[in-house]
Every structure is written in structure tokens, then in C-alpha cells.
């Protein structure tokens, strides 16, 4: 049976897929439709289910596996599926969501070993204790959750993969620029996205939680650091805690991107740049893997809607 990645324009197909997203919207005629993103281990494809009834909206939710009969088309240079028929998979069929999810390219045990080793390299006692406390508290979710609902590292274990990738970049930069405070930079990397375990609902049918929508992961991590200080009897007004919080609060770099403050210390600016590099690389590599040399990717919303070309050159 074909996978999503194998489909070409005008292919008519039947396959089991996971509903990754199911957003209910209103058409110009006033009727509701479902904007789907379908997923299997090879990739994603969007499709619209027009004239959806309330029963169908309730039935076809994110996280459900369906049997999809459709036709692969293109709309505004973006692949999509024209839905011909759709039904839920039965228990006699491969209905487990885990079968269709993108997997982490790195084993959980390897990620944990690299992170634990880095914690030993955080020589500042205050930062070490806070980082260790929060990673232990959220250990299970940290290694299971994606780093985002969409865009970058949006797969099982993506949060830990993103964190370790950023740690490797941070360590290279600390060797190149000894003026950087490695302990502070590593602490910021390890904690910067930890709030995603509260902001997001989980790895299957990922949605934003109430706290995610109303607070966001930056504020959530700031609160988690405050709670850790109480538990560990650390003075929250000490410079060590304030600069650590600044790392988190400033890591999106711009006020327009959700940071309440812009970076005002060197390590905070570097953390922002590392985060942007790793997220951008993952988005571009993931998109370019889906196209042949000489072709353009789909428009990448997380990259200002740009389409990237895959050169024939080697």
C-alpha cells in the first residue's frame, strides 16, 4: 500500500492515515467544513471535508485513524487530497495512532544520556539544582512530547531532540567563544521549551491546552522556575535566578514573537539565535526531503511562507 510521500498528482488511492489535525471552519456558504491534516510515517497532506455534519465533526477528531479514499491534487502549489470517502478504522484494522506517527530519529536513552552529562557540566549550583529539579519533575513528558503542534520537531520526542540539537550547537559556540558562560547557556537551552509539556496536550492529536492558549510556554517556564525556587529554598530575587529567568523570557528574541523582553545579556542573545537556527534547519530539511532535486518545497509558514529549492548540484 502506498504512503503519503509516494503519491503523485492525480493518483487515486486508498490508505489508512492518522488525523493529525481537524480544524472546524465556516465556508462562504455558511456551512461548516473540516480542514484536515492527514499523516502517516512518511509525511503529511491536507484535505477539506466539505459540508460536515455535527456527527461527522464529532467523529473525525485529531488522533483518530481513518480509512481514506482520495485523489492527490495540488492547490496553490501545495499538495492536497480531494476526499472521496472517509471512515473510521475498526478494531480489526490497524487503528492504533502510534503506527502512523513520525518517530524520533534518536533513541530516548541516548538523548537522556547526553542531557544528563550536560547537567554535570553546569557548575553554578543554583542553575544546576533548578534544571535538575524541573527535568526530573517533567521527565516522562519531556521525552515524549513534540516541540510544537506544527512547524519544527512536531513528532513524538521532538522536544528532547530539539533540546539536544541545541545543546550541541551551544557547546560548539562555547569552544569558539570562551567568553560565553557555558553553565548559563546550557541551563537556558535545557529549560527554554520545557513549558511545552504544559502548553501542549501531548504527542497524539497535539493541541494547545487552556494554559497553552492563555499563558504560553514562556510564561509557564518562568512560573516553573519560581515553584522550583520555593521547593529548593532558593532566593528568587538572587541574580542567578533573575538571569536564568531572563534567558527563558527573552529566547524568542522579539516582542512581536512572544518574548516579554528582548535579550539583554550575551547568553540570552545566543540562546535565541541557536533556537532559531535549529528550528529553521529542521523545517527546511523536513520539507526538502519530500521533494526531488530541481523542485521547490511547499510554502513553509514558519519560514515566512517561503518555498525552498532543492538544487541538482552535488
Amino acid at each position: 500500500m502506498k504512503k503519503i510521500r509516494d503519491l503523485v498528482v492525480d493518483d487515486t488511492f486508498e490508505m489508512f492515515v492518522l488525523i493529525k489535525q481537524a480544524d472546524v471552519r465556516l465556508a462562504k456558504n455558511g456551512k461548516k467544513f473540516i480542514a484536515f491534516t492527514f499523516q502517516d510515517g512518511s509525511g503529511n497532506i491536507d484535505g477539506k471535508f466539505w459540508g460536515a455534519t455535527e456527527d461527522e465533526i464529532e467523529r473525525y477528531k485529531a488522533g483518530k485513524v481513518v480509512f481514506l479514499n482520495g485523489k492527490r491534487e495540488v492547490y496553490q502549489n501545495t499538495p492536497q487530497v480531494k476526499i472521496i470517502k472517509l471512515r473510521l478504522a475498526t478494531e480489526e484494522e490497524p487503528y492504533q495512532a502510534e503506527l502512523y506517527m513520525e518517530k524520533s530519529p534518536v533513541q530516548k536513552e541516548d538523548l537522556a544520556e547526553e542531557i544528563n552529562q550536560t547537567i554535570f557540566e553546569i557548575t553554578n549550583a543554583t542553575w544546576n539544582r533548578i534544571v535538575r529539579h524541573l527535568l526530573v519533575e517533567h521527565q516522562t513528558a519531556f521525552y515524549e512530547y513534540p516541540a510544537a503542534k506544527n512547524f519544527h520537531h512536531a513528532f513524538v520526542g521532538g522536544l528532547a531532540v530539539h533540546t539536544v540539537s541545541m545543546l550541541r550547537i551551544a557547546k560548539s559556540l562555547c569552544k569558539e567563544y570562551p567568553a560565553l558562560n557555558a553553565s548559563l547557556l546550557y541551563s537556558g537551552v535545557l529549560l527554554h521549551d520545557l513549558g511545552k509539556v504544559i502548553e501542549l496536550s501531548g504527542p497524539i492529536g497535539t493541541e494547545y491546552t487552556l494554559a497553552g492558549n492563555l499563558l504560553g510556554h514562556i510564561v509557564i517556564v518562568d512560573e516553573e522556575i519560581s515553584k522550583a525556587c520555593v521547593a529548593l529554598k532558593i532566593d528568587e530575587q538572587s541574580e542567578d535566578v533573575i538571569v536564568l529567568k531572563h534567558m527563558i523570557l527573552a529566547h524568542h528574541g522579539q516582542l512581536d514573537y512572544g518574548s516579554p523582553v528582548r535579550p539583554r545579556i550575551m547568553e540570552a542573545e545566543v540562546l535565541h539565535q541557536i533556537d532559531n537556527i535549529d528550528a529553521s534547519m529542521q523545517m527546511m530539511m523536513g520539507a526538502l526531503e519530500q521533494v526531488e532535486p530541481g523542485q521547490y518545497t511547499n510554502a513553509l509558514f514558519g519560514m515566512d511562507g517561503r518555498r525552498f529549492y532543492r538544487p541538482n548540484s552535488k
Side-chain angles (χ1 to χ4, degrees):
M1 186 178 291
K2 281 189 174 182
K3 297 289 187 180
I4 288 175
R5 185 174 180 176
D6 302 325
L7 299 174
V8 297
V9 176
D10 292 332
D11 265 357
T12 300
F13 63 89
E14 293 180 336
M15 65 174 65
F16 290 100
V17 291
L18 174 68
I19 299 176
K20 184 177 183 180
Q21 289 180 236
D23 298 325
V24 180
R25 300 175 184 169
L26 206 61
K28 292 181 180 179
N29 62 6
K31 294 184 179 180
K32 292 181 179 179
F33 70 95
I34 308 173
F36 284 121
T37 298
F38 299 110
Q39 173 183 9
D40 63 16
S42 72
N44 303 323
I45 194 167
D46 295 334
K48 293 179 175 60
F49 190 91
W50 300 104
T53 65
E54 293 301 324
D55 179 64
E56 288 165 335
I57 290 170
E58 184 62 29
R59 186 186 314 154
Y60 300 126
K61 293 204 175 273
K64 296 289 187 180
V65 174
V66 294
F67 185 71
L68 171 63
N69 174 208
K71 182 179 180 181
R72 203 275 209 184
E73 298 180 337
V74 175
Y75 177 70
Q76 295 183 342
N77 296 312
T78 300
Q80 69 171 19
V81 58
K82 178 182 179 182
I83 300 171
I84 299 171
K85 289 182 181 179
L86 191 69
R87 67 168 175 82
L88 292 176
T90 69
E91 292 188 3
E92 288 73 39
E93 295 171 329
Y95 71 95
Q96 298 90 342
E98 293 81 2
L99 297 174
Y100 305 90
M101 298 171 67
E102 183 182 354
K103 303 296 192 301
S104 168
V106 187
Q107 292 294 318
K108 171 185 171 181
E109 293 75 15
D110 295 333
L111 294 168
E113 182 179 351
E114 199 160 340
I115 285 172
N116 290 335
Q117 178 58 45
T118 301
I119 293 174
F120 283 113
E121 298 173 34
I122 299 174
T123 56
N124 178 289
T126 297
W127 302 332
N128 186 294
R129 292 175 68 203
I130 292 172
V131 169
R132 192 181 299 272
H133 175 86
L134 290 178
L135 286 180
V136 168
E137 183 175 347
H138 299 290
Q139 183 174 13
T140 300
F142 179 76
Y143 289 101
E144 291 180 356
Y145 273 50
K149 177 182 176 181
N150 299 305
F151 309 141
H152 74 93
H153 300 87
F155 52 83
V156 179
L159 176 57
V161 171
H162 175 48
T163 301
V164 167
S165 180
M166 285 180 60
L167 279 176
R168 292 171 181 170
I169 299 171
K171 291 180 180 182
S172 295
L173 288 174
C174 286
K175 289 179 181 178
E176 186 68 26
Y177 303 105
L180 287 169
N181 185 324
S183 289
L184 180 56
L185 184 56
Y186 299 166
S187 297
V189 169
L190 287 167
L191 295 185
H192 82 287
D193 270 355
L194 187 62
K196 298 286 181 72
V197 305
I198 297 171
E199 180 181 51
L200 302 175
S201 61
I204 299 176
T206 306
E207 298 290 346
Y208 286 96
T209 63
L210 181 62
N213 276 316
L214 299 187
L215 301 177
H217 69 279
I218 290 178
V219 171
I220 290 169
V221 178
D222 181 73
E223 292 179 343
E224 288 295 297
I225 292 173
S226 294
K227 292 176 185 176
C229 287
V230 172
L232 299 170
K233 295 182 171 56
I234 294 172
D235 179 10
E236 193 176 347
Q237 298 306 313
S238 69
E239 181 176 289
D240 282 349
V241 175
I242 290 173
V243 296
L244 178 61
K245 284 191 165 196
H246 178 75
M247 295 287 288
I248 306 307
L249 295 172
H251 85 265
H252 278 191
Q254 301 281 349
L255 306 186
D256 290 348
Y257 297 159
S259 274
V261 291
R262 296 198 67 194
R264 295 290 296 274
I265 60 177
M266 186 165 59
E267 290 76 13
E269 176 63 26
V270 172
L271 174 62
H272 162 60
Q273 299 289 351
I274 294 172
D275 189 24
N276 191 46
I277 289 170
D278 191 57
S280 298
M281 284 298 298
Q282 205 277 334
M283 284 187 282
M284 290 186 290
M285 290 189 301
L288 288 166
E289 285 176 357
Q290 304 295 318
V291 300
E292 298 296 326
Q295 296 182 348
Y296 286 89
T297 67
N298 299 334
L300 303 184
F301 183 79
M303 300 291 292
D304 305 318
R306 284 174 287 163
R307 299 171 64 222
F308 285 81
Y309 179 72
R310 182 175 175 182
N312 288 287
S313 308
K314 292 184 179 179

